[in-house]
Structure formats: C-alpha cells, structure tokens
Amino acid sequence: FRLSEVKSFKTRGVDASLLSTGDANNITFATATVAGTAMLGTISQLYDGNVSLSCGISYAPKDEDTEMLASSNMPFQTTSVLQETKDGSFTMELTGLTPETTYLYRSFIRIGQVILVGDLKRFTTKATKDYMYVNVSDVGFNTATFEGKTLLPNMFKNVGYTLTYVNKTDDYGWGEQQATPTINGGTVTATLRGLYIGRTYEYWLTAMINGKNYQSEKKTFTTQNPGNYIILDEPSNIKSTSAVVSGYLDPKAYDTENSCQIYYGTDKDNLFQLTTAPVSNDRFKTEIKNLRSNTTYYYRVQALCHLGLGSADWFSSEIKSFTTLP
C-alpha cells in the first residue's frame, strides 16, 4: 500500500458569542441568580442530522475536586433550561446553597453526548446572620426568653423554624433540645422553661427551607444562680466566743422566707454546725455563740428559693469568715 500525504483539520471552537457565562447577582446565604448565553440555534447548524440540545448552568462548591473539574469539560451539578430565548440568553436561580461558601460555575451546552462549557466564574454566598438572628432578652433561674429578626418570610415560602439549645456546663447525654419559636412578620420570640440553674447554654435559630437546614450564629447564655441573691454583710460584734452575722435575701429569689440557715465551722470544706436566723423585711441577723476564742470560723447562708409553681430548692451564699478575739 502507498499512503497519500497526511493532512489535518481542526474543529471549530465555541467562542463567547455562542456560549458565555454571566455574572452572579442577587446572592444570599442560600440562593444566587446566574445568567448565560447559549446560541442553540446557531450551534445546531454546525451539526448534521438531528441532535439533542440542552443548556444551563453547571456549579459546585470550590474545593480541590472542583478545581480539577474546572480544567476539564466535565460538568458539576447542573441545572438546565429547556428553551433558549430569542437572543440565546437565560437566567437561572441556584437554590439550596451553603452559607459563606465560594462556588464555581459556568454555562454549558449538551449536544447529544458532547458537553461544551463556557468560561469559569465564581461567587461567595453570604452569612445567615445577615438574614436571621436571635438574642436572649431575659434570663431567669430556670427560664430564658428570646427576641430576634428574620427576613426569610419575604424571601421563601413555607419556612419552618426551631430554636435549638444545648447545656454546655454538664454532660447529661441529652444533647440538643429544641423549641418552636413564634414568628410574627419578621419578629422572632421564644421562651424556654425547665432549664437548669447556673448552667451555660448554647443556642441558635434553625430555618428549614426546601428540605435544607440553615443555622443562625451560635450564642450562649447562663441561667442565674439564686445563691448570688443572698447578700452577706461583714460579720460584726465579734467577741472571743461569739459573733453576729447578717445579710439580705433579695426578693427576686426569696420573697416568702421567714428564716434561713447558717452553716459554720473551722473547716472551710466541712461546715456542719447549724443555726437558724429569722428573716424580716428581707433581712436576717443572728448571733453565733459558744465559739472558741482566737479561732477562725467560716460560714455560709442557705435559703429556700421558690422556682415556680410546686418547685423549690435550697441554695447557698458565698463563704465568709471571721476570727474570734483572744
């Protein structure tokens, strides 16, 4: 066999006049609008016979894998339009995006089994805190109330909300707990009850949009400790065998008490001796007797706090000390 001269040819490329990627706009924490141009009619004339044509946007979060895909003609996750407009342009909304994430995207045309892609662009979604937030407005001993704002009712239909909270002080194995907040227009309110006293909780608002959850910024609050509402005076009238201790029971925590208990002893970690002090007009005062001379004594006050209907518990003040005279 005798071979003829070897020649070559190059297929025609797809330039920006036939396939281009537009800039992203209307970017939120979960959506973005992107545009492109795909002249399907013109491109179809380059092929003989009937071919299946479709176009749209190919997109994915930016990472090492997508950077590798960006150098090839392989598509990312795609969303397609069935028909082009008269000038070949189209606009599409990307949904279900992840907040504060950079996305790569490009226009594409699928011609039968062949995929042609336009120039690669990128955008970054915004943070959810720009669209919804919730703050603690009042904290009690075992309750907390919240107020916040949300722009989502004006942006999406059928948005569901939960207020999630978790005890960060103790590990009881219960994990996250949830409550349903009240949404009135763009205002968010909620009340939590049955919390543990003096514990730090982490909380955040979750919005459920089209089957995907979006979280607001995580924050913390600490429930109050009734022991902090027992205010001790400095010990007075200290003698060799006695001393007077007094103080104030704040009615925010102690509004029905007629007495309180005083534990004292020479071992700060083992205050086992007990006396009772009467309470009048939220104040208490008593004399501790039969003490040893020239000895340091430690004491704390314990009072009964009513935490709600049918709920009460004893809480202790800080520990103070005095030294009897020789």
PDB file of all heavy atoms in Angstrom, residues 66-101:
ATOM      1  N   THR A  66     -13.356  20.233  42.618  1.00  0.00           N
ATOM      2  CA  THR A  66     -13.962  21.107  41.618  1.00  0.00           C
ATOM      3  C   THR A  66     -12.907  21.885  40.848  1.00  0.00           C
ATOM      4  O   THR A  66     -13.103  22.228  39.695  1.00  0.00           O
ATOM      5  CB  THR A  66     -14.958  22.085  42.267  1.00  0.00           C
ATOM      6  OG1 THR A  66     -14.316  22.785  43.336  1.00  0.00           O
ATOM      7  CG2 THR A  66     -16.163  21.345  42.805  1.00  0.00           C
ATOM      8  N   GLU A  67     -11.782  22.184  41.484  1.00  0.00           N
ATOM      9  CA  GLU A  67     -10.705  22.851  40.760  1.00  0.00           C
ATOM     10  C   GLU A  67     -10.178  21.939  39.645  1.00  0.00           C
ATOM     11  O   GLU A  67      -9.835  22.390  38.558  1.00  0.00           O
ATOM     12  CB  GLU A  67      -9.564  23.220  41.723  1.00  0.00           C
ATOM     13  CG  GLU A  67      -9.910  24.351  42.677  1.00  0.00           C
ATOM     14  CD  GLU A  67      -9.887  25.711  42.000  1.00  0.00           C
ATOM     15  OE1 GLU A  67      -9.958  25.783  40.761  1.00  0.00           O
ATOM     16  OE2 GLU A  67      -9.819  26.721  42.723  1.00  0.00           O
ATOM     17  N   MET A  68     -10.133  20.637  39.916  1.00  0.00           N
ATOM     18  CA  MET A  68      -9.707  19.694  38.889  1.00  0.00           C
ATOM     19  C   MET A  68     -10.746  19.603  37.780  1.00  0.00           C
ATOM     20  O   MET A  68     -10.420  19.585  36.594  1.00  0.00           O
ATOM     21  CB  MET A  68      -9.479  18.315  39.513  1.00  0.00           C
ATOM     22  CG  MET A  68      -8.287  18.248  40.465  1.00  0.00           C
ATOM     23  SD  MET A  68      -8.122  16.640  41.268  1.00  0.00           S
ATOM     24  CE  MET A  68      -7.890  15.580  39.823  1.00  0.00           C
ATOM     25  N   LEU A  69     -12.019  19.580  38.163  1.00  0.00           N
ATOM     26  CA  LEU A  69     -13.079  19.525  37.160  1.00  0.00           C
ATOM     27  C   LEU A  69     -13.103  20.778  36.302  1.00  0.00           C
ATOM     28  O   LEU A  69     -13.479  20.740  35.134  1.00  0.00           O
ATOM     29  CB  LEU A  69     -14.438  19.366  37.848  1.00  0.00           C
ATOM     30  CG  LEU A  69     -14.810  17.959  38.323  1.00  0.00           C
ATOM     31  CD1 LEU A  69     -16.098  18.009  39.136  1.00  0.00           C
ATOM     32  CD2 LEU A  69     -14.972  17.013  37.155  1.00  0.00           C
ATOM     33  N   ALA A  70     -12.683  21.895  36.911  1.00  0.00           N
ATOM     34  CA  ALA A  70     -12.728  23.160  36.189  1.00  0.00           C
ATOM     35  C   ALA A  70     -11.823  23.153  34.964  1.00  0.00           C
ATOM     36  O   ALA A  70     -12.040  23.899  34.014  1.00  0.00           O
ATOM     37  CB  ALA A  70     -12.335  24.309  37.115  1.00  0.00           C
ATOM     38  N   SER A  71     -10.801  22.322  34.999  1.00  0.00           N
ATOM     39  CA  SER A  71      -9.873  22.277  33.868  1.00  0.00           C
ATOM     40  C   SER A  71     -10.343  21.307  32.780  1.00  0.00           C
ATOM     41  O   SER A  71      -9.680  21.167  31.758  1.00  0.00           O
ATOM     42  CB  SER A  71      -8.484  21.859  34.357  1.00  0.00           C
ATOM     43  OG  SER A  71      -8.532  20.552  34.915  1.00  0.00           O
ATOM     44  N   SER A  72     -11.473  20.654  32.996  1.00  0.00           N
ATOM     45  CA  SER A  72     -11.988  19.697  32.012  1.00  0.00           C
ATOM     46  C   SER A  72     -13.365  20.146  31.547  1.00  0.00           C
ATOM     47  O   SER A  72     -13.894  21.164  31.965  1.00  0.00           O
ATOM     48  CB  SER A  72     -12.072  18.300  32.622  1.00  0.00           C
ATOM     49  OG  SER A  72     -13.118  18.266  33.589  1.00  0.00           O
ATOM     50  N   ASN A  73     -13.941  19.368  30.657  1.00  0.00           N
ATOM     51  CA  ASN A  73     -15.281  19.668  30.174  1.00  0.00           C
ATOM     52  C   ASN A  73     -16.360  18.935  30.957  1.00  0.00           C
ATOM     53  O   ASN A  73     -17.529  18.964  30.582  1.00  0.00           O
ATOM     54  CB  ASN A  73     -15.402  19.285  28.698  1.00  0.00           C
ATOM     55  CG  ASN A  73     -14.721  20.295  27.802  1.00  0.00           C
ATOM     56  OD1 ASN A  73     -14.357  21.375  28.256  1.00  0.00           O
ATOM     57  ND2 ASN A  73     -14.524  19.959  26.550  1.00  0.00           N
ATOM     58  N   MET A  74     -15.957  18.282  32.042  1.00  0.00           N
ATOM     59  CA  MET A  74     -16.956  17.581  32.836  1.00  0.00           C
ATOM     60  C   MET A  74     -17.829  18.599  33.572  1.00  0.00           C
ATOM     61  O   MET A  74     -17.338  19.593  34.104  1.00  0.00           O
ATOM     62  CB  MET A  74     -16.269  16.672  33.856  1.00  0.00           C
ATOM     63  CG  MET A  74     -15.553  15.493  33.217  1.00  0.00           C
ATOM     64  SD  MET A  74     -16.691  14.381  32.369  1.00  0.00           S
ATOM     65  CE  MET A  74     -17.587  13.741  33.776  1.00  0.00           C
ATOM     66  N   PRO A  75     -19.117  18.369  33.642  1.00  0.00           N
ATOM     67  CA  PRO A  75     -19.997  19.304  34.341  1.00  0.00           C
ATOM     68  C   PRO A  75     -19.979  19.072  35.845  1.00  0.00           C
ATOM     69  O   PRO A  75     -19.642  17.995  36.323  1.00  0.00           O
ATOM     70  CB  PRO A  75     -21.376  18.972  33.769  1.00  0.00           C
ATOM     71  CG  PRO A  75     -21.293  17.510  33.447  1.00  0.00           C
ATOM     72  CD  PRO A  75     -19.863  17.269  33.000  1.00  0.00           C
ATOM     73  N   PHE A  76     -20.308  20.117  36.614  1.00  0.00           N
ATOM     74  CA  PHE A  76     -20.557  19.982  38.040  1.00  0.00           C
ATOM     75  C   PHE A  76     -22.017  19.552  38.191  1.00  0.00           C
ATOM     76  O   PHE A  76     -22.602  18.999  37.282  1.00  0.00           O
ATOM     77  CB  PHE A  76     -20.323  21.311  38.762  1.00  0.00           C
ATOM     78  CG  PHE A  76     -18.970  21.929  38.502  1.00  0.00           C
ATOM     79  CD1 PHE A  76     -18.834  23.295  38.313  1.00  0.00           C
ATOM     80  CD2 PHE A  76     -17.829  21.147  38.471  1.00  0.00           C
ATOM     81  CE1 PHE A  76     -17.603  23.866  38.098  1.00  0.00           C
ATOM     82  CE2 PHE A  76     -16.578  21.700  38.255  1.00  0.00           C
ATOM     83  CZ  PHE A  76     -16.479  23.073  38.056  1.00  0.00           C
ATOM     84  N   GLN A  77     -22.594  19.841  39.347  1.00  0.00           N
ATOM     85  CA  GLN A  77     -24.043  19.705  39.483  1.00  0.00           C
ATOM     86  C   GLN A  77     -24.679  20.686  38.502  1.00  0.00           C
ATOM     87  O   GLN A  77     -24.239  21.830  38.379  1.00  0.00           O
ATOM     88  CB  GLN A  77     -24.464  20.042  40.914  1.00  0.00           C
ATOM     89  CG  GLN A  77     -25.963  19.970  41.160  1.00  0.00           C
ATOM     90  CD  GLN A  77     -26.311  20.334  42.593  1.00  0.00           C
ATOM     91  OE1 GLN A  77     -25.438  20.443  43.440  1.00  0.00           O
ATOM     92  NE2 GLN A  77     -27.590  20.517  42.856  1.00  0.00           N
ATOM     93  N   THR A  78     -25.692  20.248  37.782  1.00  0.00           N
ATOM     94  CA  THR A  78     -26.229  21.083  36.717  1.00  0.00           C
ATOM     95  C   THR A  78     -27.695  21.404  36.931  1.00  0.00           C
ATOM     96  O   THR A  78     -28.439  20.659  37.567  1.00  0.00           O
ATOM     97  CB  THR A  78     -26.082  20.402  35.347  1.00  0.00           C
ATOM     98  OG1 THR A  78     -26.816  19.168  35.363  1.00  0.00           O
ATOM     99  CG2 THR A  78     -24.632  20.112  35.022  1.00  0.00           C
ATOM    100  N   THR A  79     -28.080  22.543  36.416  1.00  0.00           N
ATOM    101  CA  THR A  79     -29.481  22.904  36.313  1.00  0.00           C
ATOM    102  C   THR A  79     -29.698  23.423  34.901  1.00  0.00           C
ATOM    103  O   THR A  79     -28.893  24.201  34.377  1.00  0.00           O
ATOM    104  CB  THR A  79     -29.882  23.952  37.371  1.00  0.00           C
ATOM    105  OG1 THR A  79     -31.260  24.275  37.221  1.00  0.00           O
ATOM    106  CG2 THR A  79     -29.048  25.208  37.275  1.00  0.00           C
ATOM    107  N   SER A  80     -30.741  22.959  34.236  1.00  0.00           N
ATOM    108  CA  SER A  80     -30.889  23.190  32.797  1.00  0.00           C
ATOM    109  C   SER A  80     -32.145  23.985  32.470  1.00  0.00           C
ATOM    110  O   SER A  80     -33.135  23.955  33.202  1.00  0.00           O
ATOM    111  CB  SER A  80     -30.942  21.847  32.045  1.00  0.00           C
ATOM    112  OG  SER A  80     -29.785  21.083  32.275  1.00  0.00           O
ATOM    113  N   VAL A  81     -32.071  24.694  31.358  1.00  0.00           N
ATOM    114  CA  VAL A  81     -33.254  25.334  30.772  1.00  0.00           C
ATOM    115  C   VAL A  81     -33.621  24.561  29.521  1.00  0.00           C
ATOM    116  O   VAL A  81     -32.767  24.050  28.801  1.00  0.00           O
ATOM    117  CB  VAL A  81     -32.971  26.815  30.433  1.00  0.00           C
ATOM    118  CG1 VAL A  81     -32.810  27.629  31.696  1.00  0.00           C
ATOM    119  CG2 VAL A  81     -31.736  26.965  29.561  1.00  0.00           C
ATOM    120  N   LEU A  82     -34.908  24.439  29.251  1.00  0.00           N
ATOM    121  CA  LEU A  82     -35.356  23.645  28.119  1.00  0.00           C
ATOM    122  C   LEU A  82     -35.355  24.437  26.825  1.00  0.00           C
ATOM    123  O   LEU A  82     -35.195  23.888  25.745  1.00  0.00           O
ATOM    124  CB  LEU A  82     -36.766  23.100  28.390  1.00  0.00           C
ATOM    125  CG  LEU A  82     -36.877  22.176  29.614  1.00  0.00           C
ATOM    126  CD1 LEU A  82     -38.324  21.738  29.809  1.00  0.00           C
ATOM    127  CD2 LEU A  82     -35.976  20.971  29.442  1.00  0.00           C
ATOM    128  N   GLN A  83     -35.557  25.730  26.939  1.00  0.00           N
ATOM    129  CA  GLN A  83     -35.634  26.557  25.740  1.00  0.00           C
ATOM    130  C   GLN A  83     -34.787  27.805  25.917  1.00  0.00           C
ATOM    131  O   GLN A  83     -34.711  28.376  27.006  1.00  0.00           O
ATOM    132  CB  GLN A  83     -37.081  26.960  25.443  1.00  0.00           C
ATOM    133  CG  GLN A  83     -37.989  25.789  25.081  1.00  0.00           C
ATOM    134  CD  GLN A  83     -39.402  26.267  24.814  1.00  0.00           C
ATOM    135  OE1 GLN A  83     -39.779  27.365  25.201  1.00  0.00           O
ATOM    136  NE2 GLN A  83     -40.169  25.433  24.133  1.00  0.00           N
ATOM    137  N   GLU A  84     -34.166  28.222  24.845  1.00  0.00           N
ATOM    138  CA  GLU A  84     -33.423  29.470  24.868  1.00  0.00           C
ATOM    139  C   GLU A  84     -34.353  30.622  24.503  1.00  0.00           C
ATOM    140  O   GLU A  84     -35.414  30.422  23.898  1.00  0.00           O
ATOM    141  CB  GLU A  84     -32.265  29.409  23.870  1.00  0.00           C
ATOM    142  CG  GLU A  84     -32.728  29.202  22.434  1.00  0.00           C
ATOM    143  CD  GLU A  84     -31.585  29.265  21.436  1.00  0.00           C
ATOM    144  OE1 GLU A  84     -30.604  29.926  21.742  1.00  0.00           O
ATOM    145  OE2 GLU A  84     -31.733  28.680  20.372  1.00  0.00           O
ATOM    146  N   THR A  85     -33.986  31.833  24.904  1.00  0.00           N
ATOM    147  CA  THR A  85     -34.740  32.992  24.481  1.00  0.00           C
ATOM    148  C   THR A  85     -34.330  33.361  23.064  1.00  0.00           C
ATOM    149  O   THR A  85     -33.449  32.756  22.462  1.00  0.00           O
ATOM    150  CB  THR A  85     -34.468  34.174  25.433  1.00  0.00           C
ATOM    151  OG1 THR A  85     -33.069  34.479  25.385  1.00  0.00           O
ATOM    152  CG2 THR A  85     -34.848  33.800  26.862  1.00  0.00           C
ATOM    153  N   LYS A  86     -34.979  34.368  22.546  1.00  0.00           N
ATOM    154  CA  LYS A  86     -34.710  34.755  21.156  1.00  0.00           C
ATOM    155  C   LYS A  86     -33.251  35.142  20.948  1.00  0.00           C
ATOM    156  O   LYS A  86     -32.656  34.828  19.911  1.00  0.00           O
ATOM    157  CB  LYS A  86     -35.621  35.926  20.760  1.00  0.00           C
ATOM    158  CG  LYS A  86     -35.488  36.349  19.305  1.00  0.00           C
ATOM    159  CD  LYS A  86     -36.489  37.447  18.960  1.00  0.00           C
ATOM    160  CE  LYS A  86     -37.910  36.922  19.076  1.00  0.00           C
ATOM    161  NZ  LYS A  86     -38.911  37.936  18.633  1.00  0.00           N
ATOM    162  N   ASP A  87     -32.638  35.796  21.949  1.00  0.00           N
ATOM    163  CA  ASP A  87     -31.237  36.189  21.797  1.00  0.00           C
ATOM    164  C   ASP A  87     -30.277  35.164  22.412  1.00  0.00           C
ATOM    165  O   ASP A  87     -29.075  35.401  22.484  1.00  0.00           O
ATOM    166  CB  ASP A  87     -30.994  37.564  22.426  1.00  0.00           C
ATOM    167  CG  ASP A  87     -31.263  37.567  23.926  1.00  0.00           C
ATOM    168  OD1 ASP A  87     -31.707  36.531  24.457  1.00  0.00           O
ATOM    169  OD2 ASP A  87     -31.035  38.607  24.561  1.00  0.00           O
ATOM    170  N   GLY A  88     -30.807  34.021  22.837  1.00  0.00           N
ATOM    171  CA  GLY A  88     -29.956  32.964  23.363  1.00  0.00           C
ATOM    172  C   GLY A  88     -29.621  33.094  24.827  1.00  0.00           C
ATOM    173  O   GLY A  88     -28.929  32.238  25.376  1.00  0.00           O
ATOM    174  N   SER A  89     -30.075  34.141  25.508  1.00  0.00           N
ATOM    175  CA  SER A  89     -29.720  34.339  26.915  1.00  0.00           C
ATOM    176  C   SER A  89     -30.706  33.620  27.834  1.00  0.00           C
ATOM    177  O   SER A  89     -31.836  33.333  27.451  1.00  0.00           O
ATOM    178  CB  SER A  89     -29.694  35.830  27.250  1.00  0.00           C
ATOM    179  OG  SER A  89     -30.991  36.388  27.097  1.00  0.00           O
ATOM    180  N   PHE A  90     -30.251  33.320  29.027  1.00  0.00           N
ATOM    181  CA  PHE A  90     -31.117  32.703  30.018  1.00  0.00           C
ATOM    182  C   PHE A  90     -30.652  33.125  31.410  1.00  0.00           C
ATOM    183  O   PHE A  90     -29.506  33.505  31.611  1.00  0.00           O
ATOM    184  CB  PHE A  90     -31.114  31.173  29.898  1.00  0.00           C
ATOM    185  CG  PHE A  90     -29.761  30.544  30.070  1.00  0.00           C
ATOM    186  CD1 PHE A  90     -29.277  30.208  31.326  1.00  0.00           C
ATOM    187  CD2 PHE A  90     -28.950  30.295  28.970  1.00  0.00           C
ATOM    188  CE1 PHE A  90     -28.037  29.634  31.486  1.00  0.00           C
ATOM    189  CE2 PHE A  90     -27.699  29.719  29.123  1.00  0.00           C
ATOM    190  CZ  PHE A  90     -27.240  29.380  30.373  1.00  0.00           C
ATOM    191  N   THR A  91     -31.576  33.077  32.354  1.00  0.00           N
ATOM    192  CA  THR A  91     -31.287  33.398  33.749  1.00  0.00           C
ATOM    193  C   THR A  91     -31.811  32.266  34.620  1.00  0.00           C
ATOM    194  O   THR A  91     -32.919  31.791  34.417  1.00  0.00           O
ATOM    195  CB  THR A  91     -31.952  34.726  34.173  1.00  0.00           C
ATOM    196  OG1 THR A  91     -31.460  35.777  33.337  1.00  0.00           O
ATOM    197  CG2 THR A  91     -31.632  35.048  35.626  1.00  0.00           C
ATOM    198  N   MET A  92     -31.006  31.862  35.602  1.00  0.00           N
ATOM    199  CA  MET A  92     -31.394  30.748  36.450  1.00  0.00           C
ATOM    200  C   MET A  92     -31.100  31.078  37.905  1.00  0.00           C
ATOM    201  O   MET A  92     -30.128  31.771  38.211  1.00  0.00           O
ATOM    202  CB  MET A  92     -30.628  29.475  36.045  1.00  0.00           C
ATOM    203  CG  MET A  92     -30.679  29.177  34.563  1.00  0.00           C
ATOM    204  SD  MET A  92     -30.093  27.549  34.175  1.00  0.00           S
ATOM    205  CE  MET A  92     -31.425  26.563  34.818  1.00  0.00           C
ATOM    206  N   GLU A  93     -31.952  30.559  38.809  1.00  0.00           N
ATOM    207  CA  GLU A  93     -31.715  30.717  40.239  1.00  0.00           C
ATOM    208  C   GLU A  93     -31.171  29.415  40.802  1.00  0.00           C
ATOM    209  O   GLU A  93     -31.784  28.352  40.653  1.00  0.00           O
ATOM    210  CB  GLU A  93     -32.998  31.101  40.984  1.00  0.00           C
ATOM    211  CG  GLU A  93     -32.751  31.342  42.469  1.00  0.00           C
ATOM    212  CD  GLU A  93     -34.002  31.746  43.235  1.00  0.00           C
ATOM    213  OE1 GLU A  93     -35.102  31.293  42.870  1.00  0.00           O
ATOM    214  OE2 GLU A  93     -33.862  32.507  44.213  1.00  0.00           O
ATOM    215  N   LEU A  94     -30.024  29.510  41.449  1.00  0.00           N
ATOM    216  CA  LEU A  94     -29.444  28.366  42.129  1.00  0.00           C
ATOM    217  C   LEU A  94     -29.931  28.378  43.573  1.00  0.00           C
ATOM    218  O   LEU A  94     -29.852  29.400  44.250  1.00  0.00           O
ATOM    219  CB  LEU A  94     -27.917  28.433  42.085  1.00  0.00           C
ATOM    220  CG  LEU A  94     -27.271  28.622  40.708  1.00  0.00           C
ATOM    221  CD1 LEU A  94     -25.755  28.586  40.825  1.00  0.00           C
ATOM    222  CD2 LEU A  94     -27.767  27.569  39.729  1.00  0.00           C
ATOM    223  N   THR A  95     -30.447  27.272  44.054  1.00  0.00           N
ATOM    224  CA  THR A  95     -31.017  27.189  45.402  1.00  0.00           C
ATOM    225  C   THR A  95     -30.313  26.107  46.214  1.00  0.00           C
ATOM    226  O   THR A  95     -29.546  25.306  45.681  1.00  0.00           O
ATOM    227  CB  THR A  95     -32.518  26.890  45.347  1.00  0.00           C
ATOM    228  OG1 THR A  95     -32.718  25.619  44.698  1.00  0.00           O
ATOM    229  CG2 THR A  95     -33.262  27.979  44.569  1.00  0.00           C
ATOM    230  N   GLY A  96     -30.594  26.086  47.509  1.00  0.00           N
ATOM    231  CA  GLY A  96     -30.022  25.065  48.376  1.00  0.00           C
ATOM    232  C   GLY A  96     -28.524  25.207  48.578  1.00  0.00           C
ATOM    233  O   GLY A  96     -27.833  24.232  48.876  1.00  0.00           O
ATOM    234  N   LEU A  97     -28.006  26.421  48.435  1.00  0.00           N
ATOM    235  CA  LEU A  97     -26.569  26.647  48.578  1.00  0.00           C
ATOM    236  C   LEU A  97     -26.170  26.680  50.057  1.00  0.00           C
ATOM    237  O   LEU A  97     -27.011  26.825  50.945  1.00  0.00           O
ATOM    238  CB  LEU A  97     -26.184  27.959  47.899  1.00  0.00           C
ATOM    239  CG  LEU A  97     -26.595  28.088  46.416  1.00  0.00           C
ATOM    240  CD1 LEU A  97     -26.164  29.443  45.877  1.00  0.00           C
ATOM    241  CD2 LEU A  97     -26.007  26.955  45.592  1.00  0.00           C
ATOM    242  N   THR A  98     -24.894  26.562  50.313  1.00  0.00           N
ATOM    243  CA  THR A  98     -24.360  26.578  51.669  1.00  0.00           C
ATOM    244  C   THR A  98     -23.852  27.981  52.002  1.00  0.00           C
ATOM    245  O   THR A  98     -23.144  28.586  51.197  1.00  0.00           O
ATOM    246  CB  THR A  98     -23.209  25.568  51.799  1.00  0.00           C
ATOM    247  OG1 THR A  98     -23.707  24.260  51.472  1.00  0.00           O
ATOM    248  CG2 THR A  98     -22.654  25.557  53.212  1.00  0.00           C
ATOM    249  N   PRO A  99     -24.208  28.513  53.169  1.00  0.00           N
ATOM    250  CA  PRO A  99     -23.766  29.866  53.526  1.00  0.00           C
ATOM    251  C   PRO A  99     -22.245  29.982  53.586  1.00  0.00           C
ATOM    252  O   PRO A  99     -21.537  29.016  53.887  1.00  0.00           O
ATOM    253  CB  PRO A  99     -24.389  30.082  54.908  1.00  0.00           C
ATOM    254  CG  PRO A  99     -25.537  29.137  54.963  1.00  0.00           C
ATOM    255  CD  PRO A  99     -25.114  27.938  54.175  1.00  0.00           C
ATOM    256  N   GLU A 100     -21.755  31.179  53.292  1.00  0.00           N
ATOM    257  CA  GLU A 100     -20.329  31.527  53.388  1.00  0.00           C
ATOM    258  C   GLU A 100     -19.446  30.520  52.645  1.00  0.00           C
ATOM    259  O   GLU A 100     -18.429  30.063  53.154  1.00  0.00           O
ATOM    260  CB  GLU A 100     -19.913  31.628  54.857  1.00  0.00           C
ATOM    261  CG  GLU A 100     -20.656  32.701  55.628  1.00  0.00           C
ATOM    262  CD  GLU A 100     -20.206  32.823  57.067  1.00  0.00           C
ATOM    263  OE1 GLU A 100     -19.247  33.578  57.318  1.00  0.00           O
ATOM    264  OE2 GLU A 100     -20.813  32.156  57.926  1.00  0.00           O
ATOM    265  N   THR A 101     -19.867  30.194  51.442  1.00  0.00           N
ATOM    266  CA  THR A 101     -19.159  29.217  50.625  1.00  0.00           C
ATOM    267  C   THR A 101     -18.914  29.787  49.235  1.00  0.00           C
ATOM    268  O   THR A 101     -19.790  30.430  48.660  1.00  0.00           O
ATOM    269  CB  THR A 101     -19.972  27.911  50.494  1.00  0.00           C
ATOM    270  OG1 THR A 101     -20.193  27.378  51.806  1.00  0.00           O
ATOM    271  CG2 THR A 101     -19.249  26.876  49.654  1.00  0.00           C
TER     272      THR A 101
END
